[in-house]
Amino acid sequence: MVKAVVGANWGDEGKGKITDMLAKEADIIVRFQGGANAGHTIVNDYGKFALHTLPSGCFYSHTTSIIGNGVALNIPILFNEIKSIMERGVPQPKILVSDRAQMVMPYHILFDQYEEERLGGKSFGSTKSGIAPFYSDKYAKIGFQVSELFDEELLKEKVVRICETKNVLLEHLYHKPLLDPHELLETLHQYREMVEPYVCDVSSYLWNAIKEGKEILLEGQLGTLKDPDHGIYPMVTSSSTLAAYGAIGAGIPPYEIQKVIVVCKAYSSAVGAGAFVSEIFGDEADELRKRGGDGGEYGATTGRPRRMGWFDCVASKYGCRLQGATDVAFTVLDVLGYLDEIPVCVGYEIDGEVTTDFPTTSKLEKAKPVLKYLPGWKTDIRGIKKYEDLPENCRNYVEFVEEQIGFPITMVSNGPGRNDIIYR
Ligand code: GDP
């Protein structure tokens, strides 16, 4: 069976933890989109890890971790990650890289930086990992596929051709040093050496695995609201964050994705710019940020403090719907145990009208949150294993959210560890 694990909102919902937990029963874990711009934080028997490229299942020796064709593959980052987890005692993970994955090139990272500099205050808050230039090139059909590393003639010719185009921009738009085709070719030879042992025809591998009845997890990055089509465009990422894209970014038939586990955090957080209707500020936000996640809500890759807010039923209902949730995993509920009452955003007021439908970006900018206050439970719920054993107000919170979003919450996460999970 194929299951997708994806985010309902802006990302950082705890997908890494849920994937790591489900990976116990899985044979294969596939990353199908995104790049090294965001990260997953995973706490397990080996310690605490922030991964950016490796799939979250790489800590188990029984799983195969796959970088699908939809990923923006940064080869040096992938190999440093493999090295760094092995240095901390994790056994060599089994890794396959799609021969159709495209590579983040050193100049993508430079162009990301140069463009942010050029835009100044009008920037999109990029993490400068080269993701937007990478996907632009992919769809402009000037990207480099892993398979092309193994065709020397093609590679030489293409490197010269691409450098010509890029150098026009470097010289006249950005006024920066030009690319040297010999140097770039040399870098690509190094990439070839690093990646060669792992290269695989992934869609064929997965086709056979599905036929053999293997358990496959598709691991998404970020969440619905960062999807380029259905998110808060243009403050979005450059590849689709939806479960549906899992079929494309892994290379499997869409009907094989039978379960879509949408991870949804018990409060909100976001990084980067863009409308965030239930956002809170000042001491209220600092308190939640400090207590949030596992050791505070700070970016796994960038260390940036995350923007904080109350749970947003409007955004989460929309987020779950676009993902096609069969199950909702409701995470980080334990963090809310300090509050006397818990505000929840149940509607958006836009131009004097209240709606529960998530609007397009220009209307979203005008939306004000309609808040409802639910009583808190004022206890630490970590360690509780059965749903019935949660305090009544805590169960009421879960059930209220479930009714508002309209999708079943089948898992409640009450701590960062693998076993901190309550099934309903
Ligand atoms: P991802 O990108 O969606 O995987 O999200 P993050 O890596 O930002 O994960 C969110 C943070 O919350 C991580 O530090 C996790 O260890 C932590 N976390 C996940 N689930 C829970 C939970 O139920 N309770 C607490 N306290 N922390 C959690």
Side-chain angles (χ1 to χ4, degrees):
M1 167 144 46
V2 183
K3 295 176 188 161
V5 181
V6 288
N9 306 110
W10 298 264
D12 307 317
E13 299 94 348
K15 292 177 297 295
K17 177 233 158 111
I18 299 294
T19 311
D20 181 60
M21 188 189 93
L22 294 172
K24 208 170 159 186
E25 312 293 327
D27 301 299
I28 298 167
I29 293 110
V30 191
R31 286 271 325 258
F32 63 88
Q33 47 94 210
N37 51 332
H40 299 296
T41 313
I42 296 165
V43 182
N44 59 30
D45 300 342
Y46 296 104
K48 183 171 174 177
F49 296 86
L51 296 184
H52 308 112
T53 289
L54 279 177
S56 301
C58 60
F59 296 101
Y60 292 102
S61 47
H62 67 275
T63 58
T64 300
S65 297
I66 296 187
I67 306 291
N69 56 277
V71 170
L73 172 64
N74 184 317
I75 291 182
I77 290 189
L78 174 69
F79 289 91
N80 284 333
E81 256 177 38
I82 296 175
K83 211 170 108 215
S84 74
I85 67 167
M86 288 176 62
E87 277 167 7
R88 289 176 61 189
V90 180
Q92 163 108 47
K94 277 185 239 119
I95 292 171
L96 299 175
V97 173
S98 168
D99 53 4
R100 291 176 182 275
Q102 295 202 9
M103 296 170 284
V104 176
M105 306 293 273
Y107 55 78
H108 287 139
I109 296 162
L110 295 174
F111 274 92
D112 217 348
Q113 288 165 6
Y114 298 162
E115 184 62 8
E116 288 275 304
E117 276 172 38
R118 196 180 70 87
L119 292 172
K122 293 207 170 70
S123 77
F124 292 92
S126 161
T127 57
K128 303 184 190 73
S129 317
I131 303 301
F134 165 89
Y135 281 107
S136 307
D137 278 2
K138 175 171 175 177
Y139 293 107
K141 294 166 284 191
I142 51 170
F144 283 86
Q145 262 190 4
V146 166
S147 65
E148 292 172 342
L149 292 174
F150 302 94
D151 185 337
E152 187 63 19
E153 281 313 300
L154 175 147
L155 203 60
K156 271 192 191 142
E157 178 275 320
K158 192 163 170 179
V159 161
V160 171
R161 181 159 50 88
I162 300 294
C163 284
E164 269 169 21
T165 326
K166 297 294 174 196
N167 282 342
V168 174
L169 288 173
L170 286 170
E171 187 174 351
H172 298 289
L173 183 65
Y174 297 114
H175 313 295
K176 296 285 184 187
L178 303 190
L179 300 177
D180 172 5
H182 298 292
E183 205 179 301
L184 185 59
L185 189 64
E186 191 43 46
T187 304
L188 291 178
H189 288 160
Q190 288 165 13
Y191 287 6
R192 180 171 64 201
E193 245 170 66
M194 289 189 237
V195 82
E196 190 163 16
Y198 305 98
V199 179
C200 171
D201 177 350
V202 163
S203 72
S204 162
Y205 179 89
L206 290 176
W207 175 259
N208 290 326
I210 290 169
K211 293 286 157 279
E212 288 164 16
K214 293 277 196 311
E215 277 289 322
I216 300 170
L217 287 183
L218 304 178
E219 179 179 22
Q221 190 193 43
L222 299 168
T224 307
L225 304 182
K226 293 284 187 182
D227 184 74
D229 286 81
H230 296 283
I232 52 172
Y233 189 85
M235 304 301 180
V236 293
T237 193
S238 304
S239 64
S240 175
T241 56
L242 301 185
Y245 190 76
I248 298 161
I252 61 168
Y255 56 77
E256 294 291 354
I257 306 174
Q258 290 174 17
K259 262 189 183 291
V260 178
I261 297 154
V262 180
V263 185
C264 201
K265 192 152 67 177
Y267 54 87
S268 302
S269 72
V271 286
F276 180 6
V277 178
S278 68
E279 185 166 14
I280 52 175
F281 303 91
D283 293 346
E284 199 182 27
D286 288 343
E287 179 84 54
L288 183 57
R289 183 179 301 111
K290 200 173 72 204
R291 293 172 177 270
D294 179 36
E297 291 281 358
Y298 303 93
T301 305
T302 57
R304 289 191 282 192
R306 292 178 181 150
R307 298 165 67 193
M308 306 302 298
W310 301 122
F311 187 79
D312 184 335
C313 298
V314 180
S316 304
K317 179 177 78 162
Y318 176 80
C320 289
R321 173 162 69 80
L322 267 297
Q323 294 288 10
T326 59
D327 295 77
V328 175
F330 197 53
T331 58
V332 210
L333 187 60
D334 50 303
V335 161
L336 299 181
Y338 74 99
L339 292 157
D340 291 320
E341 50 176 19
I342 309 175
V344 181
C345 174
V346 293
Y348 290 174
E349 191 192 312
I350 303 170
D351 295 332
E353 278 187 41
V354 174
T355 179
T356 60
D357 290 325
F358 193 78
T360 51
T361 307
S362 59
K363 285 191 187 150
L364 187 66
E365 308 279 357
K366 294 194 269 180
K368 295 192 178 52
V370 178
L371 296 178
K372 186 178 159 78
Y373 295 82
L374 299 186
W377 46 90
K378 299 290 285 177
T379 46
D380 185 2
I381 59 162
R382 282 208 195 179
I384 294 178
K385 297 282 171 213
K386 286 208 233 92
Y387 186 68
E388 307 78 72
D389 294 343
L390 288 172
E392 189 181 357
N393 284 348
C394 183
R395 279 181 280 128
N396 288 342
Y397 185 80
V398 174
E399 287 158 34
F400 178 80
V401 164
E402 181 173 55
E403 198 192 313
Q404 293 284 311
I405 63 178
F407 291 91
I409 296 177
T410 59
M411 284 167 253
V412 174
S413 172
N414 59 338
R418 264 180 194 171
N419 301 320
D420 299 324
I421 194 81
I422 300 169
Y423 290 96
R424 283 176 81 207

